[in-house]
Structure formats: C-alpha cells, structure tokens
Amino acid sequence: MFDPNADSYGRYGANAGIHRLMRMLDRAGVRANVFASGVLAERDPTQVKAVSDAGHEIVAHGYAQDLIPATLTAEADEDYIQRTTDLLTQVTGTRPKGWISPRATAGVETRRRLAKHGYEWQGDALDADLPYVEELPDGELLAIPLCTDFNDLSHSMRFGRTPQQFIENFEECLEALLKLRDDTVILDVLVHTHCYGRPAGAWAYGELARRCAERDDIWLTTRGQIAEQVRQHL
C-alpha cells in the first residue's frame, strides 16, 4: 500500500533538508562526508554535483535505501555496486573512493566486490574503534569503523530527545573522552536530510559544526582524509 505521508516526509530531504544542512556547514567553514545514493544521482544530478562542487566528500551509499546488500543475490549486489559507482562518477566527475551500505549492512561478499571495483575504504565496520586493513581475494580495503553514538534518527525518534540535548550529549562525551589520553576514537555526527535537515535539527547540527571548527584539540575531518592518513603510515 502506498503511504503518501511517508512519501512526503522522505522527500523533504532532497527538497529542503540538504540545502539547509549545506548552508549550516558553509557558515561553519566545515566540509563533511555526504552519503549519496545512486538513485539520487540518477534523478537529481544537479543537486548531487552541487554538493560535490561545494567541497564535500561524496560517499557511495548504495543505489537505493530499500535495497540492503545483505538481502541481494550475488548478481544483484554486483549490479548495485556498479550502477551506484557509475552514476556518482558521471555526475560528480570523480570516482567515489568510499562506500557505506544502507543500514551499514553489507552482504557477505560485498566488501570483496568493493575492492574489485576500486574502492579504497568502507564504513560498514562496527567491530572496532580505529581503521584497519582487510585483505580480500580481490584486493585490499581499509575499514573505517562507523560510530553510531550520535545519530539523529535514534536520538529523536527512538528516544524522543531534543536538538539541544543532541548538542549536550555530544559535548559531554567529547569532554570526557579528551581527558582519556590513552584512548583515540572516531566520533561521527550522523544526520539525515529528511530528519535533522529540518529547522531545529539543522540548527543543532550547525552549532556542533561551528563549535568543533573552533577547537584545536580535535581533528575535524572526513573519512577520505582519515584513509589518506592511515595509508601514509602503513
């Protein structure tokens, strides 16, 4: 059954949310990873190119969010990766180097296929704090683990917390972790254009971007830059 309410809610991200979040990042002088689906590059190429041209790193996020690699056949998974890669490359002019599956749920052979298609890193790993190298039959792939502690969907929809609490939770955690000199971690701030692309959520995201950009005791970076740093030290 078609649900017009869900359809309308989801369309907000492309219609308004992404534009607001990009403005917030621009005001803070911050460049971010933007997870982009192949279908978005297919249907709205101008918008995807604008995000890339603004200096943000496009991360391949599968062809569509209702196609989970772990549920696909081998043939479908191969086609899914190829289509997504081709579409994003054609639109941005740059082949994506990183991949994060919808729900970070790769199939058993997805990582092998990513290496075969020339990807340098993947973010579906949830089993470590720091990057590590995966030796695969079709090549080498760097796993850059995904931190799920600060995710707007679970924060607002599962726990019913406010945008102000989103800021407070992150800053409280950051201050505590910085006191632990023997612990190095990645802290991702994950927001979705149809959720925290809305006014209150985008304000919180922009405020965090601004505050982090003003600090000199953290590395505010992208996964592509992390991958480059790791490669230099291998």
Side-chain angles (χ1 to χ4, degrees):
M1 179 182 295
F2 179 71
D3 184 347
N5 178 276
D7 179 68
S8 181
Y9 182 81
R11 288 180 182 276
Y12 185 90
N15 291 341
I18 184 63
H19 302 291
R20 181 174 290 110
L21 290 172
M22 291 301 100
R23 290 196 299 271
M24 292 296 182
L25 289 171
D26 185 61
R27 290 169 188 163
V30 172
R31 297 296 172 260
N33 282 133
V34 177
F35 302 176
S37 302
V39 69
L40 184 61
E42 189 173 57
R43 297 181 181 180
D44 198 352
T46 301
Q47 185 153 245
V48 174
K49 189 175 189 307
V51 171
S52 177
D53 288 348
H56 302 289
E57 181 187 358
I58 298 292
V59 178
H61 197 32
Y63 178 72
Q65 297 307 292
D66 59 345
L67 298 174
I68 310 300
T71 68
L72 301 177
T73 64
E75 293 76 14
D77 193 33
E78 175 73 25
D79 177 65
Y80 179 82
I81 294 170
Q82 185 68 65
R83 287 175 68 192
T84 301
T85 306
D86 289 347
L87 285 164
L88 291 175
T89 302
Q90 291 165 12
V91 168
T92 67
T94 302
R95 189 179 181 85
K97 297 180 179 181
W99 174 286
I100 294 181
S101 300
R103 296 179 63 247
T105 306
V108 174
E109 294 294 309
T110 299
R111 293 173 184 177
R112 177 182 65 78
R113 296 186 183 101
L114 291 173
K116 184 183 72 172
H117 282 275
Y119 280 87
E120 297 181 8
W121 62 266
Q122 58 87 9
D124 292 337
L126 302 170
D127 57 352
D129 289 321
L130 297 177
Y132 60 89
V133 175
E134 295 179 302
E135 298 291 348
L136 302 162
D138 289 297
E140 188 179 274
L141 199 61
L142 184 66
I144 305 179
L146 188 67
C147 168
T148 59
D149 291 3
F150 305 100
N151 186 317
D152 62 339
L153 291 180
S154 56
H155 177 86
S156 60
M157 294 183 174
R158 182 183 302 171
F159 302 118
R161 294 172 181 156
T162 67
Q164 178 64 41
Q165 288 175 307
F166 194 70
I167 296 173
E168 293 169 354
N169 289 351
F170 178 84
E171 292 212 310
E172 182 179 32
C173 177
L174 179 60
E175 294 301 333
L177 289 174
L178 286 174
K179 294 176 182 178
L180 304 175
R181 296 297 182 180
D182 60 344
D183 195 14
T184 302
V185 297
I186 296 170
L187 291 183
D188 290 307
V189 179
L190 301 171
V191 300
H192 298 74
T193 58
H194 64 287
C195 184
Y196 261 31
R198 297 171 193 271
W203 160 75
Y205 183 66
E207 184 64 13
L208 278 180
R210 182 188 67 79
R211 295 185 189 187
C212 286
E214 291 175 349
R215 303 186 69 116
D216 60 6
D217 53 357
I218 62 174
W219 184 24
L220 185 59
T221 188
T222 65
R223 289 181 124 64
Q225 291 173 322
I226 291 174
E228 290 176 7
Q229 185 76 4
V230 172
R231 295 287 183 190
Q232 289 176 12
H233 288 83
L234 288 177

